[in-house]
Amino acid sequence: MSNWGKTTTEASVKKTGFDKEYYMNQFKNNTAQSVPVRMALVAKENCAKTGLAISLCRQVKSTGKIYVFDVDNSAKATIEAAYPDDKEIIVLPLLDERDDSIFNDDSSVNYAALVDKMNFYVNIVADVAKDEDVAGIVFDGGSTFLKWCEFAMTDVLLRRGVIKEEGDGFSQKEWRTRNQLNRGVLTRLHGLPVPCVFFTFHLKDVSNYVDNGSGGKVLMKIGERPEWDKGTMRLFSQQIFLSRYMKKADAAAGVKADPTLKNADDWVIKGMIEEIKGKYMERVGETHTILSIIKGEVKWNGLPFLTWG
């Protein structure tokens, strides 16, 4: 018989409660669950990220609760306008003025406590999902949460004794603390036993100095990139990049040009399928119109072929 597991100390078994017998049972009975959608929706502001997440979730599962972690404090307005009759959508505000636990004595935001709150909420939803019918989760504001983790770094380093006072400097390697805080939440959400988990992120301009033709240099936009921690990209089995289009481009507003639009006030939102693993991978590279407003008439198209039936 194998001696596997006998190196585990008695103290360790007593502390964790998980021994060889427990893990052998897990090995025999814990088969992978079907969790088809782990999607990142990336765009500038006002590009229907939240609306598309809810739409796709309901295409996968028409009933069941959808929990929206509203990091950006903007999801409630979208959902009230687009899905007023769906009472199973539950919006959870994180930066809530009514919550004394996330503010310091001087009324400033305690970002370490805010990140702790997010972790508590994820744990609660994990417990709820064991007994209730949960269709999906929308983590609405991944870029903002990454910034929260950056702000929380100092408090966490104080807790760990890495620095003694708030103004103390720390080495470059301590930036891993921000990434650990961020990845801890995203990884836990990714692993929850629910069919759909959506993450929304902002699209950030990338600028650099280029020659202006007369010997000088000017700062110009040279591209765009998602405002996320690169180490979390592997968590997203599907990635859709959204953009807003009008007849004439407006770079300052993040609007691109679509000469096919006839009127100056018309605009559309298009989604480009950047990545899909598994089912629908043949759709990678396609671009579809998600929403259009032509002569004041709103038309929602969504992506009706993505059902993961």
Side-chain angles (χ1 to χ4, degrees), residues 101-207:
S101 73
I102 59 173
F103 294 99
N104 296 311
D105 293 338
D106 62 357
S107 296
S108 61
V109 177
N110 184 329
Y111 286 98
L114 198 53
V115 173
D116 287 343
K117 178 180 178 179
M118 182 68 219
N119 279 291
F120 277 117
Y121 273 21
V122 173
N123 289 336
I124 291 168
V125 170
D127 288 337
V128 167
K130 295 176 183 177
D131 303 314
E132 295 184 6
D133 183 17
V134 179
I137 294 167
V138 181
F139 185 60
D140 195 14
S143 301
T144 300
F145 185 74
L146 181 61
K147 183 60 69 173
W148 287 0
C149 292
E150 181 180 327
F151 294 154
M153 261 200 322
T154 301
D155 287 338
V156 173
L157 293 177
L158 282 167
R159 289 181 186 177
R160 295 176 179 174
V162 176
I163 58 176
K164 294 183 178 181
E165 296 181 2
E166 190 169 328
D168 289 352
F170 49 84
S171 66
Q172 183 69 24
K173 70 179 182 180
E174 298 303 339
W175 278 90
R176 64 189 174 184
T177 300
R178 181 202 68 167
N179 296 338
Q180 288 169 347
L181 294 172
N182 181 61
R183 292 177 191 180
V185 169
L186 268 61
T187 302
R188 186 75 196 283
L189 286 169
H190 178 276
L192 292 179
V194 299
C196 304
V197 181
F198 298 88
F199 305 84
T200 73
F201 296 94
H202 295 145
L203 199 58
K204 182 179 181 179
D205 290 340
V206 177
S207 300

Side-chain angles (χ1 to χ4, degrees), residues 246-308:
M246 298 183 73
K247 188 174 181 64
K248 292 184 178 181
D250 183 350
V255 177
K256 298 180 179 179
D258 183 351
T260 64
L261 294 172
K262 296 180 179 179
N263 303 305
D265 294 333
D266 294 345
W267 56 277
V268 299
I269 293 173
K270 298 180 183 182
M272 197 272 281
I273 300 174
E274 178 74 18
E275 180 176 338
I276 290 187
K277 297 176 182 176
K279 192 171 184 179
Y280 303 120
M281 64 184 300
E282 70 278 6
R283 298 279 189 172
V284 172
E286 293 182 358
T287 298
H288 298 270
T289 298
I290 308 298
L291 171 73
S292 63
I293 298 181
I294 307 298
K295 294 183 179 179
E297 182 179 346
V298 180
K299 182 181 179 182
W300 176 264
N301 298 313
L303 295 170
F305 52 85
L306 296 180
T307 62
W308 287 276

